[in-house]
Amino acid sequence: DLSGRHLVVSAGGTREAIDPVRFIGNRSTGKMGVAVVAAALDRGASVTLVAANLEVPIPAGTTVVRVESTADLRDALVGLVRDGFDALVMAAAVADFRPVRHADHKLERGASLTLELEPTTDVLAEVARTVGTPRPILVGFAAETGSLERAADKLRRKGVDLLVANDVAEPGSGFGTDTNR
């Protein structure tokens, strides 16, 4: 039923460099996004996977765009918006912060290290503001802990059609699990 449709799916966690060896990241495995890719392929869609750090195999027949950081993810999606697609499923766990400065050499171990962080771009909100017409379906994900109260505000603020909110602190839910709530 998705034959002739082009879906873009993001998956995995972005990494923000501290130095060439270390990064700030998150616990995403890419499992949710890759499951969405497999389901879309099974239903006949053409799928482009924008893959950040993945710990799961990518289904055969998937067009893959590899990214590392939030900025890379943004740049890849801006290019795909220009080409057009029918739906974007933004399952990637995008870093909310990055170091203000990163070293171009490996930092030596010392007594301590202080990192100054700045917010990253809200990639999904930017895509929602820039897509043309006809407007593709935009789906976001929100990993929360303890409550899903912020989900409705995120849905409005990001300008998406659907927001899937998970309390990743609940047993059987969250990163790398076979089930979710």
Side-chain angles (χ1 to χ4, degrees), residues 27-168:
R27 300 180 190 279
S28 177
T29 63
K31 195 170 199 173
M32 175 70 75
V34 168
V36 171
V37 167
L41 288 169
D42 286 347
R43 292 175 61 180
S46 166
V47 181
T48 299
L49 172 64
V50 182
N53 180 51
L54 298 178
E55 295 178 18
V56 294
I58 298 169
T62 307
T63 300
V64 180
V65 176
R66 299 259 182 202
V67 298
E68 179 83 10
S69 67
T70 302
D72 296 339
L73 177 67
R74 181 216 168 266
D75 292 347
L77 288 174
V78 165
L80 289 164
V81 164
R82 279 192 300 266
D83 296 341
F85 49 80
D86 296 294
L88 168 63
V89 179
M90 189 77 163
V94 181
D96 292 326
F97 298 96
R98 68 175 170 238
V100 171
R101 291 171 298 286
H102 67 275
D104 58 0
H105 60 281
K106 181 182 175 191
L107 297 173
E108 296 297 322
R109 181 183 311 234
S112 67
L113 175 67
T114 300
L115 293 176
E116 183 181 355
L117 303 177
E118 63 185 359
T120 59
T121 301
D122 187 333
V123 175
L124 184 53
E126 182 177 336
V127 168
R129 285 190 307 272
T130 61
V131 292
T133 53
R135 188 177 193 271
I137 296 169
L138 302 176
V139 180
F141 281 73
E144 301 291 343
T145 56
S147 169
L148 300 179
E149 289 179 17
R150 299 181 336 163
D153 179 57
K154 282 186 176 185
L155 174 73
R156 284 186 296 279
R157 186 170 29 85
K158 291 179 181 290
V160 297
D161 301 295
L162 177 68
L163 187 80
V164 180
N166 293 302
D167 184 343
V168 297

